[in-house]
Amino acid sequence: MLEIWGRRNSSNVIPVMWAVGELGLEHKRYDVGGSFGGLDVDAFRALNPNRKVPTINDDGFVMWESNAIIRYLCARYGDGSLAPHRADRRAIADQWMEWHKTTSYPDYISLFWAIIRTEPAHRDATKIERLTGSLANSLMVLEAQLESNAYVAGDELTMADISIGPAIYRYFTLDIQRPELPNLTAWYERLKRRPAFQQHAMVPFGRNPAEWYVLERGA
Ligand SMILES: N[C@@H](CCC(=O)N[C@@H](CS)C(=O)NCC(=O)O)C(=O)O
C-alpha cells in the first residue's frame, strides 16, 4: 500500500495528497514534520536524507520531492489522464510544474510565511507588499495561459493543475490585494468543484501562527 509521510497542512504534501485523492489510491498518511516532529530520526533519514516531507513508500519504492512524487503517481496510476499520454502534452504539463516550483512558488511561500507564519506584531509590511506584487506579476503569466485553456496544460485536468492549484487556494484565501484575474478565478472555481480538491487542497490555515498550530494539531 502507498504510504505518505507528511502533515496535511504542508504546502508540499498538499498537492501530493490531492493527486492521491484524484487517483483514488488506497493509502496511509503519517503526521510528521512541523509540530509533529519525527523527521530527525534514523528511521526517517533512511527514507529521505533531506529530512523533509512529503516522502512516500509505494510497495517498497521510496522517493521524495513533491513534484517528482506527483509525476510518479500520475504516470503509474493516471497514465493518459493526469499524466497526458502524448509526449508533447506531458511536456507542457511538466513545463508548468517547473514554472510553479521555480517562478511562482518562491514568492508564494515567502508571502505565506510573512503573513500566516509570522506574529502580526512582527510582520514586515514592505516585504509583504513586495512579495504580493511579485507574485501577482508571475500569476499574470498563468492568467494568460488560462485565457484559452480550461486547465493549466489544456482542456483536461493534469498533473500541472495538481502541482499549482493548492497554492491558488491559499492565494485567494489570504487577506491581500489581488489584481483582476478572471481566467485564474474561473479555473479556481472549476477546481473547487472537485471533491478531492475540497478534501485535500482546501486545508484551513488560520490567520496567524497560533491558529496555524491549532489547526495543524486538530487536522
Ligand atoms: N522541494 C521539496 C521541499 C520539501 C520541504 O521543504 N518540505 C517542508 C514542508 S512544506 C518540510 O519538510 N519542512 C520541515 C517540517 O515540516 O518540519 C519538495 O517539494 O518536496
Side-chain angles (χ1 to χ4, degrees), residues 103-112 130-135 138:
T103 304
S104 59
Y105 185 88
D107 283 339
Y108 144 70
I109 201 64
S110 299
L111 179 62
F112 191 79
R130 177 177 56 76
L131 289 167
T132 303
S134 177
L135 179 55
S138 299

Side-chain angles (χ1 to χ4, degrees), residues 6-213:
R7 54 191 165 86
R8 73 185 286 266
N9 63 353
S10 147
S11 59
N12 289 305
V13 172
I14 287 171
V16 168
M17 291 310 300
W18 182 25
V20 168
E22 288 289 342
L23 293 165
L25 304 179
E26 195 188 334
H27 67 280
K28 182 155 178 47
R29 186 185 58 77
Y30 306 108
D31 270 328
V32 294
S35 64
F36 297 102
L39 305 184
D40 206 7
V41 296
D42 288 348
F44 188 77
R45 203 178 294 112
L47 295 172
N48 184 347
N50 303 291
R51 289 170 286 143
K52 300 281 186 201
V53 294
T55 297
I56 67 163
N57 183 343
D58 189 22
D59 278 328
F61 173 63
V62 175
M63 69 172 297
W64 34 266
E65 278 299 329
S66 56
N67 263 354
I69 293 170
I70 292 165
R71 287 186 182 97
Y72 163 72
L73 293 175
C74 293
R76 176 152 189 202
Y77 302 107
D79 189 26
S81 60
L82 291 182
H85 208 64
R86 267 179 49 175
D88 55 349
R89 294 208 176 124
R90 192 177 294 206
I92 292 299
D94 245 336
Q95 166 192 287
W96 283 101
M97 292 173 78
E98 290 299 312
W99 171 84
H100 177 54
K101 272 290 181 197
T102 58
T103 304
S104 59
Y105 185 88
D107 283 339
Y108 144 70
I109 201 64
S110 299
L111 179 62
F112 191 79
W113 271 82
I115 302 174
I116 303 301
R117 307 295 303 270
T118 303
E119 294 295 345
H122 297 136
R123 287 178 190 160
D124 179 340
T126 309
K127 181 178 176 185
I128 290 171
E129 190 180 334
R130 177 177 56 76
L131 289 167
T132 303
S134 177
L135 179 55
N137 286 342
S138 299
L139 292 178
M140 293 309 280
V141 176
L142 183 56
E143 168 71 9
Q145 169 71 359
L146 291 165
E147 173 86 44
S148 50
N149 296 284
Y151 294 95
V152 172
D155 293 338
E156 309 288 340
L157 186 88
T158 69
M159 58 190 185
D161 303 275
I162 301 282
S163 178
I164 305 171
I168 302 303
Y169 158 70
R170 286 187 176 180
Y171 181 69
F172 277 111
T173 309
L174 284 172
D175 184 16
I176 52 171
Q177 296 279 337
R178 284 176 289 273
E180 289 292 308
L181 295 163
N183 302 321
L184 203 111
T185 303
W187 167 66
Y188 176 52
E189 291 300 323
R190 282 191 278 281
L191 300 188
K192 281 200 295 185
R193 289 198 285 272
R194 306 186 75 89
F197 187 80
Q198 293 163 14
Q199 185 184 348
H200 298 289
M202 300 177 77
V203 179
F205 51 79
R207 291 165 299 177
N208 52 50
E211 291 185 4
W212 168 268
Y213 284 116

